[in-house]
Structure formats: structure tokens, C-alpha cells
Amino acid sequence: MFRKIQEKDKTFYIKTANEFYNSDAVDHKIPLDYIENTFNELMRSTEYAECYIFEKDGEKAGYALLAKTFSQEAGGLVVWIEEIYILPQFRSLGIGSDFLNFLKENTDCARLRLELCTSNTRAYTAYKKHGFNVLDYKQMIYDKNPN
């Protein structure tokens, strides 16, 4: 089951997002206050970001963080899959695949987009299976507040 995040999920979200940023799925850690700021934004509005909590047999199993932007190139709204994190004991049960199918069927956007570490071959294989294609762009960033 996938449901929108609620205030009651704060402890779970902060704990699991912190686990995600301390895993090999990412290139670097982020400060805990970034995660707390994200939760606060999720509670304030769904204008820029949304979060879904994954549940399996009544237990919280993970989350997905989505961000929204508009793209002329894509012809409309783009939903970035910022993070998908599934607790280890719930992996390989189809939750991630079910969520990607849920997004494809229930998200009114022109494009779903994501990024992943090149070392995360398992995720790469899963996303390719769901019809995602490599977008050969180099990305550049300027961080106003580098951590």
C-alpha cells in the first residue's frame, strides 16, 4: 500500500531517510537538518515535493520522495523520483516495482525522471525493466550552502 506522508510519520521518515543517506545508494551523506527541512516542507505543501509511505502487512516498509518541476523539453510537468528507500527486510518483495507502476498509472505528468549512482547496478536494472532510458546529460550544480 502507498499513502501520502502524514505528521505521524515524522520519526519513521527522518530515520529511514537518514539510513538512505548513509547507504551505498548515494555518493555522499547530508546533514540531518536537511532531512528535517524536507519533512517540514512536505507537511507545509505538496507544491514542490510529495512523499509516499510504503506499507506491507500493516508495517511501514519504506518511502519515496518526489519533486516536481516543469520542463519545456518534456512538454509539461516532470516528477523527479528523488529517493526510493525500502527497508532491508522488505526488499525483493515487489514493493519498488509496484510503486513505479503506481506512479506511471496515477501521476499526471509528461515525464518521470530519476538519477542514480552508476555503482547501483541493481537499481539500474530495475529501472530499465520499467521502461526508463538513460538520458545522456552531464548535470552541473551550484550549492549555495555546501555541506
Side-chain angles (χ1 to χ4, degrees):
M1 179 178 113
F2 314 115
R3 64 171 176 80
K4 298 272 180 95
I5 196 168
Q6 300 170 12
E7 183 70 42
K8 69 180 182 177
D9 299 312
K10 183 175 185 174
T11 301
F12 175 80
Y13 173 77
I14 290 173
K15 178 183 179 293
T16 53
N18 194 44
E19 286 175 18
F20 174 78
Y21 277 98
N22 283 284
S23 75
D24 60 0
V26 297
D27 284 336
H28 63 278
K29 297 178 183 180
I30 64 170
L32 190 58
D33 62 321
Y34 285 17
I35 296 168
E36 292 169 348
N37 291 344
T38 300
F39 182 82
N40 292 337
E41 177 60 26
L42 290 166
M43 293 300 100
R44 186 193 72 78
S45 167
T46 59
E47 183 177 3
Y48 301 110
E50 289 184 87
C51 183
Y52 285 88
I53 299 296
F54 303 163
E55 292 183 345
K56 178 78 173 161
D57 300 326
E59 290 186 68
K60 292 178 186 172
Y63 75 92
L65 180 63
L66 310 174
K68 302 172 188 178
T69 188
F70 189 90
S71 170
Q72 182 165 274
E73 178 182 305
L77 180 68
V78 174
V79 173
W80 278 80
I81 303 169
E82 288 283 333
E83 300 164 17
I84 293 180
Y85 183 71
I86 299 170
L87 295 171
Q89 65 269 32
F90 293 101
R91 293 181 188 158
S92 300
L93 299 176
I95 295 170
S97 288
D98 289 348
F99 183 70
L100 290 173
N101 289 331
F102 170 82
L103 279 182
K104 288 187 239 178
E105 295 168 9
N106 296 290
T107 305
D108 186 24
C109 64
R111 176 181 284 166
L112 292 172
R113 186 170 177 167
L114 55 84
E115 58 187 28
L116 66 146
C117 296
T118 55
S119 61
N120 196 344
T121 55
R122 184 174 176 192
Y124 176 85
T125 301
Y127 294 133
K128 286 294 286 181
K129 179 178 141 191
H130 279 275
F132 284 80
N133 295 303
V134 173
L135 189 59
D136 278 332
Y137 283 122
K138 291 273 185 196
Q139 291 193 357
M140 298 175 71
I141 61 172
Y142 171 80
D143 283 326
K144 289 178 73 173
N145 301 309
N147 53 11

